[in-house]
Amino acid sequence: MFCTTSKRLVSIGDSFTEGVGDEDPSSPNGVRGWADRVAERLAANHQDFRYANLAIRGKLLGQVLTEQLEPALALNPDLVTFYAGGNDLMRPKVDIDALIDDYDLAVGRVVATGARVVLFTGVDGVEDALFRKIRGRVAIYNEHVRGIAARHGALLVDMWAMRRLRDRRLWAPDRLHLNSSGHNEIAIAVLDALGEPHKLTPAELGPRPLLSPQARRTENLQWGKEHAVPWIKRRLRGESSGDALPPKRPTMDPYA
């Protein structure tokens, strides 16, 4: 762990980096998220700090590379956070090897500019019935990401190893996105990886509540009606929740 002054941060990716689940009407696109929390701390630690966040919810890895990578590099960052691929892994079919080849090349391009890069593994969804079905895919993706990080000297936030993220109390009602407490957990992990001092603390969750089988079925049915079905319908129509949204913070500005 080390601390090197970072004054120009660009974050690229999908809903995870945009901050979906951490609702905040005062923030761009109505969400805050871990990247904004990291930027807030870096702004406090370093004078003349600047930040851009090009992430848009629903984006596939190819879209992130096509739409965000060049604009990100044009902003001349010295620190880039980069996570994408989660939406690809939830598709019926995915070529993980081809996905990772593109990811590897993109990370290499960023590193070649001299910028530090922060990468992320996917979360272990073993305790969730939906994500347990793609657990093998995520594990393969994660091993590739670990290899990319090692080859390019990137920092790695290993969310797969963060067992607290299995707790549903850190997730928004849609079960796809972290809530404010979950985003806070990621901000802590990123700042720790960077070696940046901070005063963020994990949420005190206490023992998990015990649900009866009937209560769990009722909860799952409600979730399916409110969140899973609309999500499936969008996928069938080829639509994304981010289709009409602009980048969250498209220019390199002081954090505010």
Side-chain angles (χ1 to χ4, degrees), residues 98-165:
L99 203 69
I100 289 299
D101 285 343
D102 293 339
Y103 203 0
D104 192 7
L105 289 172
V107 173
R109 284 200 61 201
V110 178
V111 170
T113 69
R116 287 189 297 163
V117 179
V118 180
L119 302 179
F120 303 80
T121 61
V123 175
D124 186 357
V126 63
E127 296 186 23
D128 187 281
L130 173 65
F131 290 103
R132 190 162 55 241
K133 294 180 180 180
I134 63 169
R135 192 185 187 212
R137 285 184 177 185
V138 177
I140 293 170
Y141 167 89
N142 287 349
E143 283 302 296
H144 282 301
V145 171
R146 293 185 184 103
I148 291 173
R151 280 193 298 277
H152 295 291
L155 298 174
L156 180 68
V157 174
D158 193 351
M159 295 195 294
W160 181 273
M162 296 171 66
R163 295 182 65 89
R164 275 173 59 89
L165 294 181

Side-chain angles (χ1 to χ4, degrees), residues 183-196:
H183 278 280
N184 183 64
E185 297 278 339
I186 304 305
I188 291 171
V190 172
L191 290 167
D192 286 347
L194 292 171
E196 290 284 347

Side-chain angles (χ1 to χ4, degrees), residues 65-80:
L65 298 182
T66 300
E67 301 168 12
Q68 299 178 26
L69 182 60
E70 292 301 332
L73 294 177
L75 294 171
N76 192 30
D78 57 27
L79 175 63
V80 176

Side-chain angles (χ1 to χ4, degrees), residues 52-74:
N53 188 327
L54 309 184
I56 299 177
R57 66 196 71 179
K59 295 299 182 181
L60 300 171
L61 175 59
Q63 293 172 313
V64 172
L65 298 182
T66 300
E67 301 168 12
Q68 299 178 26
L69 182 60
E70 292 301 332
L73 294 177

Side-chain angles (χ1 to χ4, degrees), residues 6 13 17-18 30 35 37 65 82 92-93 98 100 108 113-114 126 146 154 183 186 197 199 214 217 229 237 241:
S6 299
T17 300
E18 184 187 355
R37 294 165 188 266
L65 298 182
F82 189 178
K93 294 182 179 180
I100 289 299
T113 69
V126 63
R146 293 185 184 103
H183 278 280
I186 304 305
K199 294 183 180 180
Q214 181 178 358
R217 282 194 298 270
V229 171
R237 293 193 298 264
S241 57

Side-chain angles (χ1 to χ4, degrees), residues 172-239:
D174 66 5
R175 303 184 185 177
L176 295 172
H177 302 102
L178 295 164
N179 60 22
S180 59
S181 294
H183 278 280
N184 183 64
E185 297 278 339
I186 304 305
I188 291 171
V190 172
L191 290 167
D192 286 347
L194 292 171
E196 290 284 347
H198 64 86
K199 294 183 180 180
L200 299 182
T201 57
E204 295 185 8
L205 299 175
R208 296 193 194 187
L210 296 176
L211 294 178
S212 68
Q214 181 178 358
R216 191 173 297 279
R217 282 194 298 270
T218 299
E219 185 182 80
N220 288 338
L221 287 171
Q222 188 68 22
W223 168 79
K225 179 180 179 181
E226 293 184 4
H227 301 288
V229 171
W231 181 82
I232 292 171
K233 287 182 177 179
R234 286 198 303 272
R235 289 294 177 268
L236 292 175
R237 293 193 298 264
E239 298 175 354

